[in-house]
Amino acid sequence: MAYLIPTFDLWGIALSFAIGCLTIYLLLDLAKRVRSADRGIAQLWWGGGAIASGTGLWAVHFLIMHARGLSIPIGYAAPMTFVSWLCAVGAAAIVLSVAMHGALSKVRLIGSAVVLGIVLSIVHHTAMAAIELAPGVSWDGPSITLALLIGIAMSAVGLMGIEKLSRRSGILAVFVQIAVSIGTSAGIAVMGWLAMSAAKVPADAICFSVMALDGGHASDLTMITVPLLLVCTLLSSITYGWLDKRRTLLAGSLEHVNARLNSANDELRQRAMLDPLTGLPNRLLFEDRLAQALLRADRAKKSVRGLREKLAVLFIDIDSFKPVNDSFGHAAGDDVIRQVAQRLREEARHEDTVSRVGSDQFLVLMEGANSSNDCVALAMRIIEAAKVPFRIAERKIQISVSIGVVVYPDHGEPTKLLAQADAAMQVAKRAGRGTYAMFESHMHKDVADQLDLINDLRQAIELSQLELYYQPKIDGKRHVICGVEALLRWHHPVRGMVSPALFIPIAERFGFINAVGAWVIEDACRQMEAWSKDGLQMRVAINLSVHQLREADLVSRIESALERHGVKSSHLLCEITETVAMQDITATQRTLDGLGKIGVYLSIDDFGTGYSSLSYLRQLPARQLKIDRSFINDLDTSDDAKAVVDGVVRLAHALGLRVVAEGVETASQRDILLSLGCDELQGYFFAHPMSATKLLAWTHGHKPKGTVDFAQSLMHRSITA
Ligand code: C2E
Ligand code: MG
Ligand code: MG
């Protein structure tokens, strides 16, 4: 039989190859898009991408078919052309589905390549079938088989390209993508060519679909529209990929910043919970752990084993720690505290909580003890361990500890455990130190008293029962008031006026001093603002407790109170008792420096009671030194007291500090102090502490009975250092 000789259009073949390259390049790019973490977006890319690249695949076959065409007029039946396009879109959808579902196993690769090869063959044959010829085409079996095999192999190469490229980016990946595109496209061209060669059209064949889609116009239209569609889709895909990468990078850096912020926050939270000198949990963390342990203990009570288990709190206080600081220096004192902490950790079990709650006070929380004997055994081990001398800078330091033990549930109420352990510790101290005492019910009275007081104190702030009284300090040379000291007063509804000497130490022991201290700071600043509005410029001294100095935010709190009330920082003075300033140097130094930096003056209170080291005194950013009342008391009668005051005044002046004498009660004390060069005097001789209103009235001439008249010195006078 005679067959038609096929025509050959080189440009058509070249264009089909170029469109093939573009299509495969696009498919490889889309393979990355369909892996988007956002499922909706991935599916959009899958659908749109399949249509665009499927159209590309179809165009490749269509153009090859047209380039190796027939020498008779032909046309394409629309339904079959549409089916062929649909198959091409299906082939692209298969490729993108494979890419969407991640890693390719060998079996999946081969399976997908076979299906893809077959679908691509169908694309070609349905496109051929759209040319309705009579008599029909006869096919060359081996060529068709070879075309199919090439289609499968080319599909496998393309799919492997997708797999490799999914893990790469950068310029090299672009080259690989181009190479895979060229290779695969060449494969498709060969496949199409072979498939066309396999079709033998009889020489007398007539095309019945010649009136349908015009072959020439259809190929022109395809040549123009398909590349446009492919380029647009590719540009969208590349742009989206670039934007997505930037978004991922941005999210990554945000995540990085977030992670850093989180870790900084964790560190701050940790610091707020740990004692800076020993690294042990502080009172806050201890109380939290105790609350958790009590919850667990109450839950465990329901089981038989839980019924037997005990929980104990050991309150440990170092006996006579002050002499260690006084005789060996504060660095040695800090070292002893650190080593005591270490020994406590060694003696306690792994699951126990050891905490430092005061300068020389520790708490141990023991959980799951079988009997109170276990708790006593731990107390005895700690007492023995503390007795072993500490080696500090080639010297041996011997100390002892007193321990109060309270066991739950034996000793009842969970909210009182700390107070009960404290009361038992005081008993151990009275019993001769270096020993322990188990809490007993007769100690209840002290505990109950203290707890009542602290509970009342908690409400005192809300109920406005606290008030600051002010006691003037008199300038020795000019006989004018150069400032006042704010002294806390508590108007208790039942007990009457409670002395700060009573409630401040209890507030310190129960961890409530920071709230009281914060109220004092706020109220002193508020008062300074109010006085200033009345034309009274007054420097106010407040007393700070060591627990406040350990607060991380004390400086910022003082700074913000000053700012809020428009008070100059140099108008505020903070009094810190000498023993406090000397005791916990690590914790306090940072705060004292911080106060100095914001311009708040410091004063060393009750000087002479703590045997301060001169070198340390020099390091403190203090402006003032207040000689303790006990020295002033004896001035009239004792030459020794006079000599001490004389020495202190000289020492203070040598260090550039102003000297204040407190507790001046008589005219002769005043005269002696002035003759010794004391800068400021404070005491009942001049004025008792008085309310803010009384002080203001005094400045307006309403002098309280028994006070010196200083009204003229107060008004509108600028503060001098
Ligand atoms: P301090 O800071 O040494 O205050 C001086 C104490 O001596 C005051 O006692 C004052 O009333 C008293 N005083 C003043 N002049 C004389 C005098 O001529 N003769 C005698 N015998 N006493 C005089 P007060 O107000 O009872 O305060 C006792 C201590 O309580 C204060 O000692 C201070 O350490 C503490 N305190 C007072 N207010 C506060 C506060 O707001 N915070 C803290 N943390 N402690 C405070
Ligand atoms: Mg004071
Ligand atoms: Mg004092």
Side-chain angles (χ1 to χ4, degrees):
M1 186 188 264
Y3 295 104
L4 281 177
I5 298 170
T7 57
F8 182 74
D9 173 6
L10 186 64
W11 281 114
I13 299 279
L15 192 70
S16 139
F17 173 68
I19 292 180
C21 290
L22 198 57
T23 305
I24 303 301
Y25 192 91
L26 172 65
L27 259 176
L28 293 171
D29 218 67
L30 289 169
K32 293 175 199 158
R33 300 303 146 249
V34 294
R35 290 189 178 185
S36 167
D38 186 327
R39 224 178 135 60
I41 288 181
Q43 279 172 347
L44 261 178
W45 277 115
W46 177 81
I51 291 174
S53 51
T55 308
L57 283 177
W58 173 82
V60 171
H61 283 278
F62 181 78
L63 291 174
I64 288 178
M65 208 169 70
H66 204 75
R68 204 182 185 285
L70 300 173
S71 48
I72 56 167
I74 54 162
Y76 301 95
M80 239 359 177
T81 307
F82 179 68
V83 171
S84 149
W85 174 82
L86 214 59
C87 289
V89 171
I94 292 172
V95 174
L96 293 180
S97 296
V98 171
M100 207 173 195
H101 292 103
L104 258 184
S105 64
K106 260 191 196 144
V107 177
R108 267 189 70 207
L109 174 72
I110 294 169
S112 309
V114 169
V115 172
L116 207 53
I118 293 172
V119 175
L120 285 174
S121 269
I122 296 173
V123 172
H124 195 80
H125 287 96
T126 44
M128 282 287 290
I131 311 169
E132 293 169 355
L133 293 167
V137 176
S138 57
W139 296 96
D140 172 31
S143 298
I144 289 181
T145 315
L146 189 61
L148 178 66
L149 290 177
I150 290 177
I152 293 172
M154 171 275 311
S155 301
V157 171
L159 290 173
M160 280 192 314
I162 285 178
E163 174 81 355
K164 292 271 175 297
L165 285 165
S166 68
R167 277 174 255 126
R168 290 183 186 200
S169 60
I171 192 77
L172 193 71
V174 174
F175 281 123
V176 174
Q177 195 165 335
I178 291 173
V180 173
S181 308
I182 293 174
T184 315
S185 177
I188 296 178
V190 173
M191 181 194 177
W193 188 265
L194 273 171
M196 282 305 293
S197 308
K200 305 249 180 270
V201 181
D204 56 348
I206 299 168
C207 178
F208 282 98
S209 53
V210 74
M211 303 299 287
L213 295 170
D214 176 344
H217 279 116
S219 71
D220 290 347
L221 201 68
T222 308
M223 283 178 207
I224 297 166
T225 53
V226 173
L228 266 177
L229 174 72
L230 293 175
V231 168
C232 287
T233 316
L234 183 60
L235 283 180
S236 317
S237 172
I238 291 172
T239 314
Y240 180 85
W242 182 73
L243 287 174
D244 197 41
K245 201 169 174 182
R246 286 202 53 164
R247 196 172 51 92
T248 315
L249 274 176
L250 198 69
S253 62
L254 275 178
E255 222 165 75
H256 182 64
V257 171
N258 223 3
R260 288 191 61 173
L261 265 179
N262 280 345
S263 82
N265 264 343
D266 283 350
E267 206 179 308
L268 277 180
R269 218 172 297 135
Q270 277 250 319
R271 275 199 207 168
M273 296 283 190
L274 298 180
D275 168 56
L277 180 63
T278 58
L280 290 178
N282 61 14
R283 180 185 282 268
L284 210 66
L285 187 51
F286 184 88
E287 282 180 357
D288 186 59
R289 297 235 177 119
L290 176 62
Q292 308 267 351
L294 284 166
L295 275 180
R296 274 194 295 274
D298 285 342
R299 244 180 272 133
K301 258 194 232 162
K302 290 176 187 131
S303 70
V304 180
R305 187 166 163 264
L307 264 177
R308 284 202 318 267
E309 280 190 1
K310 316 260 179 212
L311 177 158
V313 173
L314 280 72
F315 198 122
I316 301 149
D317 189 287
I318 303 179
D319 300 321
S320 324
F321 181 63
K322 211 162 83 52
V324 174
N325 260 345
D326 296 341
S327 10
F328 297 100
H330 301 99
D334 282 358
D335 237 346
V336 170
I337 295 287
R338 266 192 293 261
Q339 290 194 30
V340 169
Q342 179 59 29
R343 288 188 193 178
L344 288 178
R345 256 199 231 111
E346 283 164 10
E347 294 308 326
R349 302 162 316 161
H350 180 67
E351 60 270 34
D352 297 339
T353 298
V354 179
S355 153
R356 180 173 177 233
V357 291
S359 53
D360 57 353
Q361 291 175 333
F362 298 85
L363 285 171
V364 176
L365 169 64
M366 193 182 184
E367 263 189 276
N370 286 326
S371 69
S372 37
N373 289 344
D374 283 2
C375 316
V376 170
L378 175 61
M380 285 165 71
R381 280 205 308 277
I382 292 174
I383 288 169
E384 287 311 309
K387 276 185 191 157
V388 179
F390 294 85
R391 280 214 154 270
I392 310 274
E394 303 304 313
R395 272 183 299 207
K396 277 186 181 175
I397 297 180
Q398 182 102 39
I399 59 156
S400 65
V401 295
S402 298
I403 305 181
V405 185
V406 64
V407 179
Y408 180 80
D410 304 11
H411 298 140
E413 291 177 58
T415 49
K416 294 186 177 165
L417 290 183
L418 291 187
Q420 289 170 332
D422 188 354
M425 186 274 289
Q426 312 271 5
V427 172
K429 285 244 181 231
R430 285 199 290 273
R433 302 172 169 220
T435 182
Y436 75 91
M438 187 66 106
F439 179 78
E440 284 169 21
S441 52
H442 65 80
M443 300 174 191
H444 256 309
K445 176 130 180 47
D446 282 0
V447 173
D449 255 14
Q450 290 190 1
L451 281 175
D452 282 352
L453 202 72
I454 207 75
N455 283 337
D456 290 352
L457 188 57
R458 275 201 176 103
Q459 293 175 9
I461 297 179
E462 279 168 39
L463 300 175
S464 308
Q465 292 170 356
L466 296 185
E467 187 185 358
L468 283 179
Y469 269 33
Y470 297 89
Q471 186 178 35
K473 294 177 184 171
I474 315 298
D475 187 294
K477 286 200 183 90
R478 294 177 298 137
H479 300 279
V480 294
I481 292 181
C482 49
V484 289
E485 176 176 9
L487 292 157
L488 195 52
R489 297 291 176 262
W490 179 12
H491 305 284
H492 192 282
V494 182
R495 298 172 196 239
M497 179 95 86
V498 184
S499 161
L502 175 74
F503 71 83
I504 293 278
I506 296 179
E508 283 178 341
R509 282 231 293 281
F510 284 82
F512 193 59
I513 188 67
N514 289 344
V516 174
W519 182 88
V520 170
I521 293 165
E522 180 62 27
D523 204 60
C525 291
R526 181 198 57 75
Q527 190 58 63
M528 285 156 94
E529 184 186 15
W531 277 333
S532 148
K533 282 183 184 154
D534 284 324
L536 177 62
Q537 297 292 321
M538 186 66 82
R539 176 177 285 157
V540 175
I542 55 171
N543 291 281
L544 291 184
S545 145
V546 66
H547 295 262
Q548 281 177 279
L549 295 182
R550 288 217 202 103
E551 267 183 307
D553 63 345
L554 178 75
V555 177
S556 61
R557 188 189 300 217
I558 291 184
E559 198 175 18
S560 82
L562 289 168
E563 247 174 54
R564 224 172 316 114
H565 295 286
V567 178
K568 280 191 193 157
S569 54
S570 59
H571 287 195
L572 185 72
L573 207 118
C574 290
E575 295 193 4
I576 300 141
T577 61
E578 187 196 9
T579 34
V580 160
M582 299 298 134
Q583 245 176 34
D584 203 349
I585 291 166
T586 322
T588 54
Q589 185 77 54
R590 210 183 47 217
T591 309
L592 296 182
D593 287 344
L595 287 174
K597 273 194 194 115
I598 63 166
V600 169
Y601 287 3
L602 289 181
S603 172
I604 311 288
D605 206 352
D606 303 342
F607 187 79
T609 52
Y611 309 99
S612 293
S613 96
L614 210 91
S615 61
Y616 179 62
L617 251 186
R618 205 184 284 143
Q619 284 171 34
L620 286 178
R623 293 290 187 106
Q624 203 179 72
L625 200 143
K626 293 181 80 174
I627 306 176
D628 191 57
R629 206 169 56 219
S630 55
F631 296 102
I632 314 299
N633 261 341
D634 300 342
L635 264 187
D636 292 336
T637 49
S638 150
D639 281 345
D640 281 354
K642 206 168 155 184
V644 169
V645 174
D646 187 31
V648 169
V649 173
R650 285 170 199 275
L651 165 78
H653 285 169
L655 291 173
L657 301 170
R658 275 172 78 80
V659 182
V660 183
E662 60 180 9
V664 184
E665 290 182 349
T666 65
S668 74
Q669 285 170 353
R670 176 200 60 189
D671 296 340
I672 296 171
L673 287 164
L674 289 180
S675 71
L676 293 174
C678 227
D679 303 292
E680 293 174 26
L681 309 174
Q682 176 185 352
Y684 296 165
F685 175 71
F686 301 100
H688 282 254
M690 62 187 89
S691 68
T693 11
K694 264 203 181 144
L695 188 85
L696 188 66
W698 188 31
T699 64
H700 286 99
H702 306 290
K703 184 173 85 72
K705 208 170 147 234
T707 58
V708 187
D709 188 359
F710 281 99
Q712 290 313 308
S713 68
L714 284 168
M715 298 299 289
H716 315 294
R717 198 170 277 280
S718 63
I719 292 175
T720 51

